[in-house]
Amino acid sequence: MLFSQYLLDKQLLSPEQVLAIMLEQITSVPSVPEIIDEHSLLPKKDLLDILFRQQIHNKDFLTSSYELGLMKQEILEKIMAKVAVKQKSFTEIALEKGYITSEILSKEAVNYSELLTNKKINSQNTENKAVISDNSNNSLKPLNGVNKSMLVEYLNCFEQSVKPCLITLIEKYRNNEVAEDKNYAEIKKVQAEFVTAKAAANFINAKISENISSDCGKFLENLMNKKIKIDKENLLNFLTIALEILTNLYNSLKKDGKEQDSENSLQDKIKLLYSIIGQNL
């Protein structure tokens, strides 16, 4: 269950509001051809060849580009990065439209976390019971590693909500677009996303992602509680490193359902992240 579905089921958002948010998410992102043209990711002739093929054969843009051999992995990654910057997160739009308050959103993110935890426990119990032999005792052994059957829940949560929200705020701070009186409002949005990420990671037993998200959320909550002037450069550094770590863990989970290999290569980044957290506690 996505967080948006949860809010709908709890009647905290109406179907009309959820639809309005999702439609705005879609319309906030330019098309792939527009992104390619705007950032000159392909020569204009290649772009035209893809568009011609798309119309003639009635296929989508990416399929047409691959068939022509014009789409490389590094170009696709740049496109997806640009899309992530442009796309607003579900929670960001909900707050902007005034459909829900940040206080309720944070509270429900915690409740959502508990719901996913309970679902995970029930799933674990069911799977463990299936492998207990008739002559075994009644104790249940916890599952080890990531619950791959539920992995799509976390991947969707990170890709559609957490990552776009982080990228958006990072770009705002880089471009000096956040006014002093808006700092806490922006931080609140990201803090809610970290809470959501923690819940989704807990759901699939992705402990590394869960711990990183949890500690990042607590760090931002502590900043807000202190009511001190925000060091934007320090915050930007923190958000950038956190995004890099979680994105690498996400990519590893998406590739083979594991976090450990990615964690080993991220040790220096993780140490740097916690050094920032430690300095500001």
Side-chain angles (χ1 to χ4, degrees), residues 113 116-118 120 197-207 210:
S113 172
L116 293 186
T117 299
N118 290 334
K120 185 189 74 170
K198 173 195 170 185
N202 175 273
F203 184 43
I204 63 167
N205 205 35
K207 289 299 181 184
E210 179 187 352

Side-chain angles (χ1 to χ4, degrees), residues 8 12-13 22 25 27 34 68 114 171 175 208 245:
L8 181 61
L12 293 168
L13 293 175
M22 297 185 77
Q25 278 188 300
T27 57
E34 286 175 318
L68 290 171
E114 293 175 353
E171 288 301 312
N175 298 325
I208 303 168
I245 292 171

Side-chain angles (χ1 to χ4, degrees), residues 50-73:
I50 297 170
L51 291 171
F52 288 149
R53 185 177 184 85
Q54 181 182 6
Q55 293 183 11
I56 292 171
H57 297 281
N58 195 28
K59 294 183 178 180
D60 64 85
F61 182 86
L62 289 178
T63 298
S64 301
S65 66
Y66 280 122
E67 288 178 349
L68 290 171
L70 296 174
M71 183 58 67
K72 297 180 180 179
Q73 184 61 33

Side-chain angles (χ1 to χ4, degrees), residues 9 15 33 66 71-72 75 89 98 106 116 125 132 135 151 159 204 228 261 274-275:
D9 290 346
Y66 280 122
M71 183 58 67
K72 297 180 180 179
I75 296 176
S89 71
S106 296
L116 293 186
N125 287 344
I132 294 177
N135 60 353
L151 184 57
E159 185 65 33
I204 63 167
I228 58 176
D261 293 342
Y274 279 96
S275 71

Side-chain angles (χ1 to χ4, degrees), residues 27-266:
T27 57
S28 68
V29 181
S31 68
V32 171
E34 286 175 318
I35 291 175
I36 290 174
D37 184 50
E38 179 183 353
H39 299 280
S40 301
L41 298 178
L42 284 175
K44 293 190 181 297
K45 182 182 181 303
D46 290 351
L47 181 55
L48 279 172
D49 286 344
I50 297 170
L51 291 171
F52 288 149
R53 185 177 184 85
Q54 181 182 6
Q55 293 183 11
I56 292 171
H57 297 281
N58 195 28
K59 294 183 178 180
D60 64 85
F61 182 86
L62 289 178
T63 298
S64 301
S65 66
Y66 280 122
E67 288 178 349
L68 290 171
L70 296 174
M71 183 58 67
K72 297 180 180 179
Q73 184 61 33
E74 59 265 27
I75 296 176
L76 182 60
E77 289 176 358
K78 289 179 181 179
I79 292 170
M80 298 312 296
K82 300 297 182 184
V83 168
V85 170
K86 298 284 187 180
Q87 186 178 45
K88 294 181 178 180
S89 71
F90 184 93
T91 52
E92 182 182 3
I93 296 173
L95 289 169
E96 285 181 354
K97 287 183 173 293
Y99 291 161
I100 195 169
T101 66
S102 59
E103 290 75 17
I104 293 176
L105 193 62
S106 296
K107 176 185 174 183
E108 292 304 326
V110 173
N111 293 335
Y112 176 66
S113 172
E114 293 175 353
L115 174 67
L116 293 186
T117 299
N118 290 334
K119 286 179 67 176
K120 185 189 74 170
I121 290 172
N122 291 336
S123 174
Q124 288 178 339
N125 287 344
T126 300
E127 292 186 35
N128 276 300
K129 285 177 181 177
V131 299
I132 294 177
S133 60
D134 292 336
N135 60 353
S136 66
N137 58 40
N138 292 326
S139 62
L140 297 177
K141 297 179 181 179
L143 292 177
N144 293 318
V146 170
N147 186 342
K148 294 182 182 179
S149 65
M150 304 293 181
L151 184 57
V152 68
E153 293 280 354
Y154 178 76
L155 296 179
N156 286 339
C157 170
F158 184 81
E159 185 65 33
Q160 297 174 15
S161 184
V162 179
K163 185 177 178 181
C165 184
L166 277 167
I167 290 176
T168 298
L169 185 54
I170 287 170
E171 288 301 312
K172 284 183 178 179
Y173 275 117
R174 280 179 178 162
N175 298 325
N176 199 29
E177 296 174 355
V178 181
E180 289 293 334
D181 60 342
K182 299 294 183 182
N183 272 320
Y184 287 108
E186 295 289 348
I187 292 173
K188 188 70 175 178
K189 294 176 190 176
V190 176
Q191 193 265 342
E193 293 294 342
F194 278 125
V195 172
T196 303
K198 173 195 170 185
N202 175 273
F203 184 43
I204 63 167
N205 205 35
K207 289 299 181 184
I208 303 168
S209 296
E210 179 187 352
N211 291 337
I212 294 291
S213 299
S214 176
D215 292 337
C216 287
K218 290 176 182 176
F219 168 70
L220 293 179
E221 184 178 15
N222 186 61
L223 277 186
M224 290 185 291
N225 289 338
K226 284 184 175 180
K227 297 291 183 182
I228 58 176
K229 185 177 180 180
I230 301 298
D231 183 334
K232 293 184 180 181
E233 184 176 346
N234 196 47
L235 181 61
L236 175 59
N237 195 25
F238 163 78
L239 293 172
T240 303
I241 296 170
L243 175 62
E244 182 178 349
I245 292 171
L246 289 174
T247 299
N248 274 277
L249 292 170
Y250 161 87
N251 289 335
S252 183
L253 285 167
K254 188 175 183 180
K255 180 180 179 183
D256 54 21
K258 297 178 182 178
E259 294 182 300
Q260 284 72 19
D261 293 342
S262 182
E263 181 197 22
N264 293 335
S265 64
L266 289 169

